[in-house]
Amino acid sequence: RKIMYLCNYLYFDSNQTDIMEEKTILYGYKMTHDTGFAPNPYHGVLTLATCKPRIRKYTKEGYWISGWTSNEVYDKDYNKHSFTDSNQKLIYLAKVSKVLSFKDYWEKYPLKKQPEKSIIEDGKECFKSCGNVLITKSDDIAFCGDNIYEPDANDTFGFKQHENPHHGEKEKERDISGEHVLVCEEFYYFGVENAIPIEKEGVVHRWKKFPFDKGKEIIDFVKEHYTK
């Protein structure tokens, strides 16, 4: 009887964990840069392929992710936008439709790749984290490409990092540790310039799981008032 009771208890507890996990449908994090690189909202899908390794590692298909303002957020032209915790705003909201390996992402999304270095020429000064690389204005979207990791069996981490104006070798290990690339076909991208105020409890810091009911309120509000 004791064994049966224990087995039933463990079975119940396991089911409860699964139910709670299914209800945790919205992740949120603070953004310090909104440059078109992470996330990348171009070419018909929003992708998160770099930064935020914890979110990329544990997010499942059907979950939602959201980016919120930090006290200071820099846009593509390195203009600074200032916010406070009391007026924290939503930069984007997206539903994850695919969770891909870096290998699959490299093969299936060529439009998200960086152009060859030869295209870099005198022009507009990129945001600060580029290292002040100069690029032409017409290539802004191309240089936001987040598909920068090509499978390479000879590399320590299994992937070659293609040269880009956003992440260097010091970010590589952290990027790869996220294991996955999140692809979102349904997304609401406002950008830091047009970030929207939205009611929520507390402040989103580096990483947050919203309780089911609070997350659903945010998702329902955005879907009702804005066009994807």
Side-chain angles (χ1 to χ4, degrees):
R1 290 180 180 178
K2 288 182 178 180
I3 293 175
M4 289 179 63
Y5 176 80
L6 178 59
C7 289
N8 287 335
Y9 173 80
L10 291 174
Y11 176 77
F12 172 78
D13 185 65
S14 174
N15 281 343
Q16 285 296 100
T17 301
D18 291 342
I19 291 170
M20 291 304 296
E21 186 66 19
E22 289 176 3
K23 286 188 174 183
T24 309
I25 61 170
L26 176 61
Y27 288 138
Y29 66 95
K30 269 186 174 181
M31 294 174 59
T32 57
H33 290 78
D34 178 38
T35 63
F37 178 67
N40 180 303
Y42 302 114
H43 305 297
V45 292
L46 181 143
T47 50
L48 190 64
T50 62
C51 302
K52 314 316 295 182
R54 189 176 180 187
I55 288 179
R56 288 188 290 110
K57 187 171 184 176
Y58 296 109
T59 295
K60 300 177 181 179
E61 292 181 5
Y63 281 23
W64 292 73
I65 52 176
S66 56
W68 302 80
T69 56
S70 297
N71 290 358
E72 294 180 351
V73 186
Y74 293 90
D75 62 25
K76 186 183 297 183
D77 298 317
Y78 203 57
N79 296 315
K80 181 173 72 174
H81 302 260
S82 298
F83 304 87
T84 63
D85 287 345
S86 61
N87 78 330
Q88 189 176 44
K89 296 183 178 181
L90 179 68
I91 297 176
Y92 82 93
L93 175 73
K95 184 177 183 180
V96 178
S97 51
K98 298 176 184 176
V99 178
L100 301 180
S101 66
F102 282 104
K103 179 179 182 296
D104 285 344
Y105 188 54
W106 178 259
E107 295 173 351
K108 295 178 180 179
Y109 287 86
L111 289 177
K112 297 273 189 171
K113 295 178 181 179
Q114 286 276 324
E116 294 298 324
K117 184 179 178 181
S118 60
I119 298 178
I120 299 177
E121 52 191 61
D122 291 343
K124 183 169 81 75
E125 186 172 326
C126 191
F127 57 94
K128 188 175 181 181
S129 60
C130 298
N132 293 324
V133 171
L134 299 179
I135 63 176
T136 59
K137 189 175 181 63
S138 62
D139 289 321
D140 278 355
I141 291 179
F143 276 91
C144 289
D146 61 356
N147 195 352
I148 61 174
Y149 291 108
E150 179 181 5
D152 183 353
N154 296 319
D155 185 88
T156 303
F157 299 104
F159 295 91
K160 170 187 175 182
Q161 184 191 71
H162 281 255
E163 188 169 356
N164 68 94
H166 308 275
H167 277 194
E169 284 294 321
K170 67 178 182 179
E171 288 89 14
K172 180 177 179 179
E173 182 176 2
R174 184 166 179 266
D175 285 344
I176 296 299
S177 70
E179 297 184 7
H180 305 127
V181 176
L182 307 182
V183 179
C184 308
E185 296 172 353
E186 178 181 355
F187 64 95
Y188 305 80
Y189 179 80
F190 307 102
V192 63
E193 299 91 340
N194 301 297
I196 64 168
I198 191 164
E199 289 188 14
K200 60 177 173 43
E201 291 184 0
V203 178
V204 175
H205 293 288
R206 291 178 60 85
W207 183 83
K208 178 182 177 69
K209 274 186 177 181
F210 286 89
F212 171 73
D213 55 339
K214 301 303 178 184
K216 189 174 186 302
E217 286 178 9
I218 292 172
I219 294 167
D220 289 346
F221 175 85
V222 173
K223 293 178 72 171
E224 181 180 351
H225 292 90
Y226 297 94
T227 302
K228 62 182 179 180

